[in-house]
């Protein structure tokens, strides 16, 4: 199995802050562009660990709740997993448009093109992000990112499976001029930059607040206080919010309350991804008239018949800090269990990303479904669902069977010691039997209730 670290430490850190030069990021073809976001995975984990430690020292408590943090990281991994199969039209379209206008094409190794793309991608992101809040079917995807009631570095990883199907459209105006490879470079760095601004541990940054998107500005964007709604859409530069009238400074007198206007109250990763689509579907059939039905799709998430396109701010609950959070309390052993199995799932996820390019469609699909199911089981445990013991014991027996049947193939494929796989089989065997008493207890309880 290849190493988790794909680049040296200093380069990895610089990339998170968009501190890169044209020369080190030039790429003539799409295939030549590194997967900067995938390569940053280990630096995400280091950042999260550092934030956890600093939070303990500075605040005297953890700034990351285990279940919420796992939920956020799971959403990010869902996005990466499904991107293998949910291929967008983005770069084929960009390439086609680029070839249609050769007279205005800029060279892939042009510093001027590189800097124009920096600003162009950030402007495109601003308008995508704004529309993702103001157009309901786009909000249905983007709400995933806002669904955490915490604000820390794990929140940055909370991403939608389907958002990429619409975001690419906003970069089309760049396509006649800029090489698709350059657009891909900057779209990745624009995303990476937004990782570090998801924290409460960094206060205002002086003069940089006038130009850059900062933790203070982005905290406002994630708030559900009335003054925070539909503000600060910036990716890297805050100047576009200032230009287009959507800027709002953080108010120390009105501490930000994070999350959705109507909190999800769930750590189920599938529900997190698709709950708003379900709500839209119900509303679509409830309202009368084709105009109202189309408005449910294309107007704002707060729209109702007879109201403005974006809804009324008066309809937003006028809440203030502090507010209760969804926080099912797991016993200590349960917290240790989901922590251990989340780490195991993450390692399998990393191995899957390394091997999926060499897999045929069916094994790739099976691997993706296994990971989706595994993370869904962790979510059910975090939610303390009645069916969680059944799901998790089934998953553990399923993994145990796979490890036993494919033992020699996995040893050869991963170059790991057979003793490691023996240890994994023991872990999953013990895990499966750990849940069986709860399964039996629930089954007996149900029978007694039916008899009564």
């Amino acid at each position: 199995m290849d190493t988790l670290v794909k680049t040296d430490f200093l380069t990895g850190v610089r990339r998170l802050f968009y501190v890169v030069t044209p020369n080190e990021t030039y790429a003539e073809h799409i295939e030549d562009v590194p997967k900067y976001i995938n390569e940053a995975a280990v630096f995400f984990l280091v950042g999260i660990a550092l934030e956890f430690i600093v939070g303990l020292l500075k605040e005297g408590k953890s700034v990351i709740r285990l279940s919420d943090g796992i939920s956020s990281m799971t959403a990010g991994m869902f996005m990466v997993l499904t991107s293998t199969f949910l291929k967008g039209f983005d770069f084929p379209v960009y390439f086609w448009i680029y070839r249609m206008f050769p007279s205005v094409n800029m060279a892939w190794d042009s510093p001027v093109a590189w800097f124009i793309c920096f600003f162009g991608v950030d402007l495109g992101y601003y308008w995508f992000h704004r529309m993702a809040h103001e157009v309901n079917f786009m909000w249905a995807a983007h709400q995933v990112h806002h669904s955490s009631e915490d604000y820390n570095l794990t929140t940055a990883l909370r991403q939608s499976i389907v958002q990429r199907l619409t975001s690419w459209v906003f970069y089309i105006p760049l396509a006649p001029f800029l090489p698709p490879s350059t657009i891909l470079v900057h779209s990745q760095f624009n995303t990476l930059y937004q990782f570090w601004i998801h924290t409460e541990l960094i206060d205002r940054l002086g003069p940089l607040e006038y130009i850059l998107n900062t933790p203070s500005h982005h905290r406002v964007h994630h708030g559900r206080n009335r003054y925070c709604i539909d503000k600060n859409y910036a990716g890297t530069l805050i100047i576009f919010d200032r230009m287009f009238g959507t800027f709002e400074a953080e108010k120390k007198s009105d501490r930000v309350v994070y999350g959705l206007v109507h909190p999800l109250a769930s750590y189920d990763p599938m529900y997190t991804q698709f709950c708003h689509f379900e709500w839209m579907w119900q509303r679509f059939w409830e309202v009368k008239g084709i105009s109202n039905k189309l408005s449910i799709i294309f107007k704002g998430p707060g729209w109702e018949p007879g109201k403005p396109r974006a809804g009324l701010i008066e309809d937003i609950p006028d809440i203030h800090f502090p507010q209760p959070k969804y926080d099912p309390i797991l016993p200590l052993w349960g917290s240790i269990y989901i922590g251990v199995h989340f780490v195991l799932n993450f390692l399998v996820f990393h191995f899957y990303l390394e091997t999926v390019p060499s897999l045929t469609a069916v094994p790739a699909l099976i691997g993706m479904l296994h990971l989706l199911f595994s993370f869904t089981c962790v979510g059910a445990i975090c939610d303390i669902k009645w069916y969680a013991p059944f799901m998790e014991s089934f998953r553990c027996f399923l993994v145990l069977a796979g490890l036993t049947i494919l033992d020699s193939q996995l040893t050869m494929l991963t170059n790991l010691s057979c003793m490691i796989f023996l240890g994994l089989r023991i872990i999953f065997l013990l895990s499966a039997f750990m849940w069986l008493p709860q399964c039996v207890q629930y089954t007996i309880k149900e029978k007694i209730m039916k008899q009564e």
Side-chain angles (χ1 to χ4, degrees):
M1 186 184 295
D2 291 347
T3 177
L4 283 167
V5 182
K6 301 294 184 181
T7 187
D8 65 88
F9 179 78
L10 182 59
T11 299
V13 172
R14 286 194 297 109
R15 289 175 177 178
L16 292 181
F17 293 90
Y18 219 141
V19 183
V20 294
T21 65
N23 285 335
E24 68 180 304
T25 56
Y26 283 145
E28 183 175 3
H29 305 291
I30 289 288
E31 298 78 17
D32 300 329
V33 179
K35 294 182 178 179
Y36 292 115
I37 294 176
N38 289 359
E39 291 180 5
V42 68
F43 295 94
F44 294 158
L45 295 178
V46 170
I48 290 166
L50 184 62
E51 183 186 37
F52 175 77
I53 294 169
V54 173
L56 285 177
L57 297 175
K58 185 178 179 180
E59 306 290 335
K61 62 179 181 179
S62 173
V63 297
I64 302 172
R65 292 182 297 148
L66 181 63
S67 294
D68 185 85
I70 284 177
S71 177
S72 292
M73 290 186 281
T74 295
M77 286 185 278
F78 266 40
M79 183 268 291
V80 174
L81 283 170
T82 54
S83 66
T84 305
F85 294 89
L86 277 177
K87 296 293 184 183
F89 303 103
D90 42 11
F91 289 99
V93 173
Y94 297 157
F95 186 70
W96 177 77
I97 295 174
Y98 185 70
R99 295 186 63 182
M100 288 287 289
F101 299 92
S103 62
V104 295
N105 288 173
M106 302 186 76
W108 61 270
D109 57 352
S110 163
V112 174
W114 195 92
F115 283 103
I116 289 175
C117 195
F118 166 78
F119 287 101
V121 165
D122 204 49
L123 178 59
Y125 178 83
Y126 169 86
W127 282 108
F128 151 69
H129 198 182
R130 183 168 175 173
M131 291 302 101
H133 281 255
E134 296 183 3
V135 178
N136 207 12
F137 80 90
M138 294 178 65
W139 172 249
H142 187 63
Q143 61 82 30
V144 175
H145 181 61
H146 285 264
S147 58
S148 174
E149 294 178 276
D150 293 341
Y151 189 76
N152 52 57
L153 293 179
T154 68
T155 310
L157 307 182
R158 186 178 283 248
Q159 299 293 330
S160 165
I161 289 174
V162 296
Q163 182 169 281
R164 70 189 304 268
L165 299 179
T166 58
S167 60
W168 67 274
V169 175
F170 294 84
Y171 306 113
I172 285 179
L174 305 176
F177 313 99
L178 299 170
S181 57
T182 308
I183 296 174
L184 177 58
V185 166
H186 282 286
S187 63
Q188 289 191 81
F189 282 120
N190 191 281
T191 299
L192 286 176
Y193 176 87
Q194 296 176 55
F195 173 73
W196 75 273
I197 62 177
H198 288 81
T199 183
E200 291 188 283
L201 297 182
I202 299 175
D203 204 349
R204 292 176 179 169
L205 298 176
L208 294 178
E209 300 284 329
Y210 292 102
I211 303 169
L212 297 176
N213 192 15
T214 64
S216 177
H217 296 330
H218 206 57
R219 284 193 287 269
V220 172
H221 178 72
H222 272 260
R224 56 190 176 105
N225 315 54
R226 282 187 177 178
Y227 85 92
C228 299
I229 300 299
D230 295 340
K231 300 296 182 181
N232 298 1
Y233 297 112
T236 303
L237 303 172
I238 199 65
I239 58 176
F240 297 118
D241 282 289
R242 296 183 184 276
M243 289 170 58
F244 298 117
T246 53
F247 174 74
E248 185 70 47
E250 184 178 20
K251 297 179 180 179
K252 296 296 185 181
S253 60
D254 191 2
R255 185 171 172 178
V256 176
V257 179
Y258 303 105
L260 299 172
V261 170
H262 304 289
L264 295 187
S266 175
Y267 293 129
D268 182 339
M270 287 299 184
Y271 180 76
T272 301
Q273 292 286 340
F274 298 111
C275 62
H276 197 78
F277 287 105
E278 180 184 357
W279 179 85
M280 281 180 60
W281 178 259
Q282 294 172 349
R283 289 292 294 140
F284 181 86
W285 293 110
E286 287 173 0
V287 299
K288 305 298 181 183
I290 187 64
S291 176
N292 286 336
K293 290 182 184 296
L294 292 175
S295 294
I296 289 293
I297 299 172
F298 295 106
K299 290 187 178 180
W303 177 85
E304 292 285 347
K307 294 182 179 180
R309 181 185 66 83
L312 296 170
I313 193 65
E314 292 78 14
D315 292 337
I316 303 295
D318 188 17
I319 56 94
H320 301 279
F321 184 88
Q323 292 290 315
K325 296 179 180 181
Y326 176 71
D327 193 22
I329 304 300
L330 291 172
L332 178 60
W333 71 265
S335 297
I336 295 173
Y337 182 92
I338 63 170
V340 169
H341 279 268
F342 178 79
V343 170
L344 291 175
N345 287 337
F346 173 79
L347 293 174
V348 174
F349 164 80
H350 170 73
F351 172 69
Y352 176 82
L353 293 184
E354 291 293 325
T355 57
V356 71
S358 62
L359 297 177
T360 58
V362 173
L365 180 61
I366 291 173
M368 183 191 74
L369 292 176
H370 162 71
L371 281 165
L372 294 180
F373 179 65
S374 294
F375 287 120
T376 301
C377 288
V378 173
I381 296 170
C382 292
D383 279 332
I384 317 182
K385 296 292 188 182
W386 67 266
Y387 50 79
F390 295 92
M391 287 180 65
E392 182 63 4
S393 58
F394 173 75
R395 183 186 76 89
C396 290
F397 279 123
L398 190 66
V399 173
L400 180 62
L403 289 172
T404 303
I405 295 170
L406 302 174
D407 180 54
S408 58
Q409 293 93 324
L410 288 172
T411 303
M412 185 182 303
L413 190 63
T414 61
N415 294 320
L416 294 175
S417 166
C418 60
M419 294 304 295
I420 292 178
F421 288 103
L422 175 61
L424 288 173
R425 286 198 294 273
I426 293 172
I427 289 173
F428 280 98
L429 179 63
L430 294 175
S431 297
F433 280 106
M434 183 187 302
W435 292 105
L436 285 181
Q438 294 190 49
C439 295
V440 173
Q441 182 181 10
Y442 182 83
T443 303
I444 293 173
K445 182 180 178 181
E446 282 293 297
K447 287 183 177 180
I448 294 174
M449 291 179 63
K450 287 181 179 179
Q451 291 175 355
E452 294 177 350

